[in-house]
Amino acid sequence: MVFVVCAVVSTAGCGLFQVTFRAEAGAVREVSGIGRVVEKTFVDPIYRNTIQIDDILVMDVGASSHEEGMAVARDRLAKAGWVPGVEREQGISLDSARWKDTPLSVAPYEPEAVRSLGATTTTPYDQGKYLLVVMTKVG
């Protein structure tokens, strides 16, 4: 009996009891469909026993400026059922009734923003053409 208890206690720190949250692949595909994905990466920070994976997309929606790109992305996402939430100068957040607990944010792309999330990017700064889309799953 002592061996069983020790085995359970020692495996708790080995990831056996971790929970992982990530946006469903269908949600990521749906959002990817609003334009051309220039680069795709992710971050996967661990909070206690929870792994929170954020999908990060650098996207081109065919706009000539960040402002136009934000409007195009918002409109295309709205047609797919995403509802705008908080809208700021530096970005917008959206939620979907179809993809429960899967918020996303859209902002002008800047390599520093990707690095600040803890990810790396090979896409150079685009002079106002690309957008940064970050999707997550909350639980």
Side-chain angles (χ1 to χ4, degrees):
M1 180 62 134
V2 172
F3 172 72
V4 172
V5 171
C6 291
V8 169
V9 170
S10 67
T11 59
C14 298
L16 292 179
F17 298 107
Q18 290 180 334
V19 177
T20 301
F21 292 104
R22 186 175 198 169
E24 293 180 45
V28 176
R29 275 192 305 274
E30 180 176 278
V31 171
S32 296
I34 68 165
R36 180 176 65 91
V37 176
V38 176
E39 184 173 2
K40 182 177 179 181
T41 188
F42 68 92
V43 291
D44 57 353
I46 299 173
Y47 306 102
R48 296 187 184 180
N49 288 334
T50 302
I51 301 172
Q52 180 72 51
I53 301 174
D54 295 338
D55 288 286
I56 301 168
L57 309 171
V58 177
M59 299 200 62
D60 181 352
V61 294
S64 59
S65 69
H66 283 141
E67 294 78 17
E68 180 187 356
M70 295 290 293
V72 168
R74 184 181 52 247
D75 292 347
R76 290 179 184 171
L77 288 165
K79 287 179 183 173
W82 291 84
V83 179
V86 177
E87 193 163 349
R88 299 186 185 107
E89 185 176 318
Q90 64 270 46
I92 184 173
S93 64
L94 298 100
D95 292 292
S96 171
R98 180 177 180 194
W99 307 105
K100 299 281 188 212
D101 301 321
T102 307
L104 66 85
S105 64
V106 181
Y109 168 73
E110 294 181 13
E112 297 79 29
V114 176
R115 287 191 280 279
S116 74
L117 294 170
T120 58
T121 181
T122 58
T123 304
Y125 184 66
D126 64 331
Q127 302 301 318
K129 186 176 177 185
Y130 299 148
L131 297 175
L132 178 66
V133 179
V134 180
M135 300 182 67
T136 193
K137 176 83 171 182
V138 295

